Amino acid sequence: MPVVEGFGVSSSKTLTINTTQVGNIGVGEDDLMSYAVPANTLDTNGDSLEVIAWGDHAANVNTKLIKIRFGAAMLAVASGAPNGGVWFCHFLITRTGATAQLAISFFIRSADAATSTVSGAPAETLSGAVTLKFTGEATANDDLVQKGMIVRKIKA
């Protein structure tokens, strides 16, 4: 892959693509999709993870909550009672040090046009594996369904 003019990006690599649909189960928080980012994946300052994920909501007025975590850090939370429709999330995590990262996420729902953008500074130790995880919390089975997730590494 050629260098992107002005950005110095040398390559990107897809680490995982998951399209096995998974929904929440009843009341409480349930794991949806996750990926164990291997140790030292982000081994150079400026290396980044790009994550794209999507799914849908049941056509009801139940409250639905999606959480996105990178290790112990909460990257995004999307809450509401969308009546049907789809959701989409795109975020980046960039290494700034062996135990420091910058993150920004964008989340949108079609049912009520709700959007959220969150930035943060996770402090995960990158010499070990770090779990990237989506969870869903709702009332009835499949109130929240995650249909896909793509994780890419962008090499600085």
Side-chain angles (χ1 to χ4, degrees):
M1 174 176 253
V3 173
V4 176
E5 191 68 35
F7 290 100
V9 175
S10 60
S11 67
S12 69
K13 176 183 178 184
T14 300
L15 301 176
T16 189
I17 298 174
N18 184 347
T19 56
T20 302
Q21 181 172 302
V22 61
N24 72 292
I25 301 170
V27 177
E29 186 174 5
D30 299 297
D31 289 349
L32 299 175
M33 291 183 184
S34 65
Y35 175 68
V37 179
N40 300 309
T41 295
L42 302 180
D43 57 353
T44 303
N45 289 354
D47 285 356
S48 300
L49 290 177
E50 176 186 33
V51 181
I52 299 168
W54 64 95
D56 60 25
H57 302 99
N60 61 42
V61 295
N62 295 342
T63 298
K64 301 158 181 89
L65 174 66
I66 296 172
K67 297 178 183 175
I68 305 161
R69 294 182 177 90
F70 181 65
M74 186 75 64
L75 297 182
V77 176
S79 181
N83 189 349
V86 298
W87 61 267
F88 174 83
C89 180
H90 186 203
F91 61 92
L92 294 171
I93 303 164
T94 301
R95 176 192 159 124
T96 57
T99 59
Q101 304 87 44
L102 293 176
I104 188 161
S105 63
F106 175 75
F107 189 94
I108 188 167
R109 287 191 309 248
S110 67
D112 54 8
T115 63
S116 65
T117 303
V118 177
S119 63
E124 296 301 316
T125 301
L126 300 172
S127 61
V130 180
T131 299
L132 171 67
K133 178 168 52 172
F134 285 75
T135 65
E137 187 172 340
T139 305
N141 289 356
D142 296 330
D143 273 347
L144 283 169
V145 175
Q146 185 169 1
K147 294 192 169 191
M149 178 174 72
I150 300 169
V151 180
R152 289 187 208 134
K153 175 184 177 177
I154 302 170
K155 183 73 178 152

